[in-house]
Amino acid sequence: MTNIMCLRRFFMCRNNLIQIINKEMNNNTAKRLGTIFDTGNSSYFYDTGTGKVITLDKESKHILSSILKSTNDSIEKIDTDRNYLNYFLDFIEQENLLQAIEPLSFSHQNHSKFKLEKILNNEMEQLILKVTGRCNFRCKYCIYNEEFQHNCNFENEDMSSEMAKKAVDFYYDHSSNSKYTAITFYGGEPLIKFDLIKEVIDYSIYKFRDRSNMLSFSLTSNLSLITEEMIDYFISVPNFNLVCSLDGDRESQNSYRQFADGTNTFEVVFEKFKLICDKANKEPDSSFSLSANMVFTPPYTFEKLDRVNNFYSSLNFLPKDFSIMITYPDEGSLDDGGFLQTLKDDDRYIKYFVNESDLVYSDPLQQWSEEKTMKNKGLDSNNKNNLYFNYIKSQLIRINTRYISDNVSANYPFNGCCLPGMRRLYVDTKGVFYPCERVGKSPSIGNIDDGLDYESIEKYYINEYESCSLKYCQNCWAIRLCGTCYAVNMLENGIDKDYHEKKCDLNRLRIKNQLAFYHEALEKELDFSILKDEFLY
């Protein structure tokens, strides 16, 4: 009798599974259940519902391809061996695959007003102060340029000492339960207001003296104005990170980073850069750290990447913990003159080239970084100063630590969006609050006098964003891996719906490429032991 009951439950489960799959195929929404990707040697399936990745043989790949493309109106009509189909369904049922629940909302953003206020009143993590809108550079890809569709406009206003201290006080009052606390200085060129920065740091150290969580500071600078006095001070500040904007060798730096009068910047900046390194090396026990932020600009070629990489690798005076971050210019900030389009004629770039209607997408940086990692058989401490180290590292960690479960969950992350005001609180020179320094023109979330505007946060950054995003995310297999955030989707009056839709295909392509690279790296047993503290083995 027990065996009969177990058999009956088995067929009920099997029938439920078939019904779920057939429903998705009939609605032409099966593509949201997962995706197939290939490495040089194998094929894999990423399952949306569980986050699992399984290896495919030829027959299982054929079945899954038929399901995801909805080439039939039911799984029973797929042209395949019946015995194998039964085996396939047994495995799918056992692993809870192909059963992703359609998202009706995003999980961590569904806060009641009470919870929203509770979190933002106690868990702020980072305060970013725009100490000045002035800058002595006119970089061609700067978000303040008039050509940038989300531009903020150059302005000559500075933050007052009173405003800055009020912002620190506000941050102190709203970060009592934060895991860590950090204050960042932003511009314009922040060092124009070094006296204010020094005053705020000293005030903040005193203000946070009773907190057990470590207070850190950071500043991003073009370095042209830095002096020995400033460097000595920053090195003396506990847990201070100086991020220098240096696009590499002389040619790369001077092509896009120029003074306001149009003159070149490399010689001035590099001299200051060496001075900082020399002083940091003389204080090896200091908690001061130095990093570089490089923007990869046209020409987007492997040759340019090799040249800049050789430039950084040849510097024998870099501090021990020096690191480099490399990014493309912000979307829409720079007209590349059709350069990406020209890459389609070069077979070396074909792996990541897509040209659909008005969308042209190529990713030489991704391809170059993968090839370098493969050639060096992984990432290790000897190549930390290479351009690709942090670029690949962040992707590997993201794929490795993705959501994985034996069971299907209805909880879906809110793309790559944080809760506005918690992860970062950006305060401009007038004391107006924004979610971060990268959002450009977007709805404010409050101000220094009135505090956080919970109604605006709920309206623009939770309810409207969720409402708009869900129609794209509901049928997307990459919903759990998507890093899209407010920074590229918000305009002054809310979400840019057209832009959001246009970028989805390209985001899926990027994520699929990252999945493929990660699993090819596993196949070849590349050495990522340097990431052991951040990997889930």
Side-chain angles (χ1 to χ4, degrees):
M1 188 68 175
T2 302
N3 289 338
I4 295 175
M5 291 296 294
C6 289
L7 192 62
R8 188 173 296 165
R9 280 197 299 269
F10 170 79
F11 282 116
M12 287 176 65
C13 292
R14 168 67 63 79
N15 287 336
N16 287 339
L17 175 61
I18 291 175
Q19 287 175 11
I20 290 172
I21 295 174
N22 286 346
K23 178 183 177 182
E24 300 290 349
M25 293 176 69
N26 276 308
N27 293 337
N28 199 30
T29 56
K31 59 185 178 183
R32 75 177 187 84
L33 300 178
T35 192
I36 295 170
F37 61 92
D38 300 300
T39 63
N41 299 317
S42 302
S43 294
Y44 297 89
F45 173 71
Y46 165 78
D47 181 68
T48 307
T50 63
K52 295 177 182 178
V53 171
I54 61 171
T55 308
L56 304 178
D57 58 22
K58 183 177 179 180
E59 196 64 30
S60 59
K61 183 177 181 179
H62 167 66
I63 296 172
L64 279 167
S65 295
S66 299
I67 293 172
L68 300 181
K69 294 177 181 178
S70 299
T71 53
N72 302 91
D73 59 9
S74 70
I75 191 173
E76 296 96 327
K77 293 184 180 180
I78 294 176
D79 180 21
T80 187
D81 179 83
R82 296 298 99 180
N83 289 330
Y84 191 94
L85 181 61
N86 285 328
Y87 161 77
F88 173 83
L89 289 170
D90 286 346
F91 179 77
I92 293 299
E93 181 194 357
Q94 179 181 339
E95 296 294 329
N96 290 320
L97 306 179
L98 293 177
Q99 299 175 57
I101 299 170
E102 182 180 353
L104 301 177
S105 63
F106 293 107
S107 56
H108 76 280
Q109 294 294 28
N110 262 342
H111 298 298
S112 64
K113 186 174 181 180
F114 171 76
K115 288 184 178 179
L116 183 68
E117 292 189 18
K118 183 178 180 181
I119 290 171
L120 296 182
N121 282 336
N122 298 282
E123 298 180 26
M124 281 188 182
E125 295 179 352
Q126 183 179 12
L127 173 69
I128 304 174
L129 299 177
K130 182 180 180 182
V131 293
T132 181
R134 293 183 288 154
C135 187
N136 60 333
F137 276 28
R138 288 298 182 269
C139 302
K140 296 178 182 179
Y141 51 72
C142 181
I143 63 172
Y144 290 90
N145 288 329
E146 292 181 2
E147 293 80 8
F148 183 36
Q149 61 179 331
H150 298 288
N151 93 305
C152 307
N153 296 324
F154 285 105
E155 37 121 332
N156 293 318
E157 204 161 323
D158 297 331
M159 179 175 281
S160 68
S161 172
E162 179 187 12
M163 181 76 71
K165 290 179 179 178
K166 285 176 69 175
V168 172
D169 291 342
F170 183 88
Y171 177 50
Y172 176 85
D173 292 338
H174 290 75
S175 59
S176 58
N177 292 335
S178 177
K179 295 178 181 177
Y180 68 93
T181 48
I183 297 177
T184 297
F185 301 98
Y186 192 75
E189 168 49 44
L191 290 183
I192 290 175
K193 295 291 292 180
F194 171 70
D195 288 345
L196 175 62
I197 291 171
K198 185 176 184 298
E199 184 180 0
V200 171
I201 290 175
D202 294 344
Y203 178 77
S204 301
I205 291 174
Y206 179 79
K207 183 75 177 181
F208 281 79
R209 66 193 183 280
D210 61 334
R211 293 283 175 86
S212 59
N213 48 350
M214 185 181 298
L215 177 65
S216 64
F217 300 92
S218 63
L219 179 150
T220 299
S221 171
N222 62 37
L223 300 188
S224 63
L225 301 177
I226 203 163
T227 64
E228 288 197 47
E229 175 197 359
M230 294 179 187
I231 299 170
D232 291 339
Y233 175 74
F234 291 144
I235 290 176
S236 72
V237 173
N239 310 305
F240 191 94
N241 175 232
L242 178 60
V243 183
C244 56
S245 298
L246 179 60
D247 286 353
D249 63 313
R250 179 179 287 100
E251 180 181 349
S252 300
Q253 173 80 2
N254 288 339
S255 294
Y256 287 87
R257 297 186 63 78
Q258 298 174 344
F259 283 109
D261 63 4
T263 56
N264 292 331
T265 61
F266 177 79
E267 280 71 20
V268 172
V269 171
F270 191 62
E271 180 183 350
K272 301 293 181 72
F273 178 68
K274 287 197 294 184
L275 179 62
I276 297 167
C277 291
D278 290 342
K279 285 184 169 289
N281 286 327
K282 292 176 182 177
E283 302 287 345
D285 296 328
S286 168
S287 57
F288 172 83
S289 63
L290 179 68
S291 57
N293 182 36
M294 174 195 163
V295 179
F296 179 35
T297 53
Y300 297 119
T301 62
F302 296 154
E303 288 80 9
K304 179 175 181 177
L305 287 166
D306 283 333
R307 188 184 77 234
V308 178
N309 192 51
N310 291 336
F311 164 78
Y312 272 113
S313 299
S314 68
L315 303 180
N316 58 8
F317 53 78
L318 298 175
K320 61 179 180 178
D321 293 323
F322 179 79
S323 62
I324 310 167
M325 295 299 296
I326 180 170
T327 62
Y328 287 103
D330 282 345
E331 190 78 26
S333 65
L334 180 68
D335 181 1
D336 72 358
F339 190 85
L340 284 178
Q341 184 73 45
T342 66
L343 296 182
K344 70 177 182 179
D345 299 321
D346 190 330
D347 291 341
R348 296 179 302 163
Y349 302 96
I350 201 67
K351 181 177 181 181
Y352 289 116
F353 192 87
V354 174
N355 187 1
E356 297 181 358
S357 62
D358 63 334
L359 292 179
V360 178
Y361 170 68
S362 183
D363 198 345
L365 177 56
Q366 177 72 29
Q367 187 174 341
W368 179 85
S369 299
E370 291 179 5
E371 291 174 359
K372 290 294 183 182
T373 306
M374 289 291 183
K375 183 178 179 180
N376 285 285
K377 302 185 185 305
L379 300 175
D380 59 52
S381 57
N382 294 322
N383 57 32
K384 284 182 69 176
N385 292 336
N386 284 328
L387 299 184
Y388 59 85
F389 182 89
N390 284 310
Y391 191 77
I392 288 295
K393 170 188 170 182
S394 62
Q395 295 179 17
L396 291 170
I397 292 174
R398 189 155 163 259
I399 299 299
N400 180 268
T401 58
R402 70 186 185 276
Y403 169 87
I404 302 177
S405 174
D406 283 329
N407 300 309
V408 180
S409 171
N411 291 328
Y412 291 97
F414 199 40
N415 300 155
C417 298
C418 60
L419 183 64
M422 188 193 82
R423 172 64 186 86
R424 297 178 180 179
L425 180 69
Y426 175 57
V427 185
D428 74 4
T429 55
K430 299 180 178 67
V432 180
F433 294 166
Y434 296 94
C436 80
E437 76 283 6
R438 296 183 59 241
V439 295
K441 291 180 178 178
S442 67
S444 160
I445 60 171
N447 62 72
I448 198 68
D449 294 318
D450 302 321
L452 288 162
D453 185 346
Y454 298 105
E455 290 185 4
S456 288
I457 294 173
E458 284 187 296
K459 177 182 177 181
Y460 295 111
Y461 293 98
I462 297 181
N463 297 336
E464 287 189 9
Y465 197 94
E466 179 178 72
S467 177
C468 179
S469 297
L470 269 177
K471 66 180 180 181
Y472 305 116
C473 299
Q474 280 176 333
N475 293 316
C476 180
W477 61 264
I479 184 172
R480 295 193 191 278
L481 299 172
C482 182
T484 300
C485 77
Y486 307 117
V488 297
N489 284 326
M490 297 297 284
L491 295 176
E492 200 164 6
N493 295 317
I495 188 169
D496 183 351
K497 299 177 182 179
D498 294 336
Y499 187 81
H500 192 297
E501 182 177 15
K502 186 170 74 171
K503 300 303 291 183
C504 287
D505 286 341
L506 300 186
N507 286 330
R508 278 188 287 268
L509 175 63
R510 287 189 180 102
I511 295 168
K512 185 177 287 192
N513 290 339
Q514 292 168 12
L515 282 165
F517 172 72
Y518 173 85
H519 285 84
E520 185 171 3
L522 292 181
E523 291 172 1
K524 295 184 177 181
E525 298 182 342
L526 301 190
D527 180 12
F528 297 126
S529 56
I530 194 172
L531 306 180
K532 62 181 181 297
D533 293 334
E534 300 170 270
F535 256 39
L536 299 176
Y537 285 101

